[in-house]
Amino acid sequence: MSQGEITPTWRSHAVPRAIAIAVIRRNDRLLVTKVTQDDGRLKGYRPLGGGIDLGETAAQALVREFREEVSAEIRVGARLAVLENIFTHEGQIGHELVFVFDAHIIKTGAIESSRFLRTENGRVTAVDWVPLDRFRSGVATLFPDGLAALI
């Protein structure tokens, strides 16, 4: 896929939602997906993960999401935190309970590339290995709020 095929439009759910995200590091970099405005402007970054399905643990959701979205296998480690994330995106309020886990790649899929695309619910977004110093210094924004302080 080319850069022109990235579809940035996303809207939050109308009710609070439980999600799980994976903090995956490679050297001094963090695996993240871009969060963009509708016009494609970069708003920030978020670690990969997704919604927790009924009857599924947060860790199981992460394993499933990585298989579905980037064809990778991960080993989920310690839960680092649960963050309550209330935000506004494109004028719409969102509310998430975010289970944050340390995780490690055990079968790479596309993840070994320095930049690649993922597909979620018909939406294509860019994924990058971004230097941790960019988040710690405030040069780049890491979502959800409070995550940069944990890592």
Side-chain angles (χ1 to χ4, degrees), residues 18-144:
I19 70 167
I21 59 174
V23 173
I24 297 178
R25 299 175 183 105
R26 182 172 69 184
N27 300 321
D28 67 338
R29 296 176 177 270
L30 182 66
L31 184 65
V32 290
T33 188
K34 291 183 175 184
V35 177
T36 58
Q37 302 285 8
D38 282 357
D39 63 7
R41 286 180 296 130
L42 180 65
K43 187 173 181 178
Y45 298 89
R46 189 197 86 173
L48 276 65
I52 303 169
D53 290 341
L54 184 64
E56 181 178 58
T57 67
Q60 290 168 338
L62 275 178
V63 170
R64 176 185 48 77
E65 289 283 347
F66 271 78
R67 280 183 188 145
E68 290 174 358
E69 294 179 13
V70 293
S71 301
E73 298 291 327
I74 63 169
R75 180 173 23 94
V76 178
R79 185 175 71 205
L80 303 175
V82 177
L83 301 172
E84 187 168 21
N85 185 32
I86 300 172
F87 59 93
T88 302
H89 179 73
E90 295 290 348
Q92 185 177 21
I93 193 165
H95 190 168
E96 299 170 329
L97 300 174
V98 184
F99 291 79
V100 182
F101 287 90
D102 191 34
H104 303 279
I105 301 166
I106 54 177
K107 185 177 175 191
T108 61
I111 288 177
E112 278 304 305
S113 303
S114 61
R115 181 178 190 274
F116 58 97
L117 301 177
R118 73 174 180 133
T119 302
E120 178 183 22
N121 300 324
R123 252 178 22 90
V124 178
T125 55
V127 178
D128 294 295
W129 290 95
V130 176
L132 285 164
D133 286 344
R134 294 194 51 159
F135 303 122
R136 292 178 180 141
S137 68
V139 169
T141 302
L142 184 63
F143 298 115

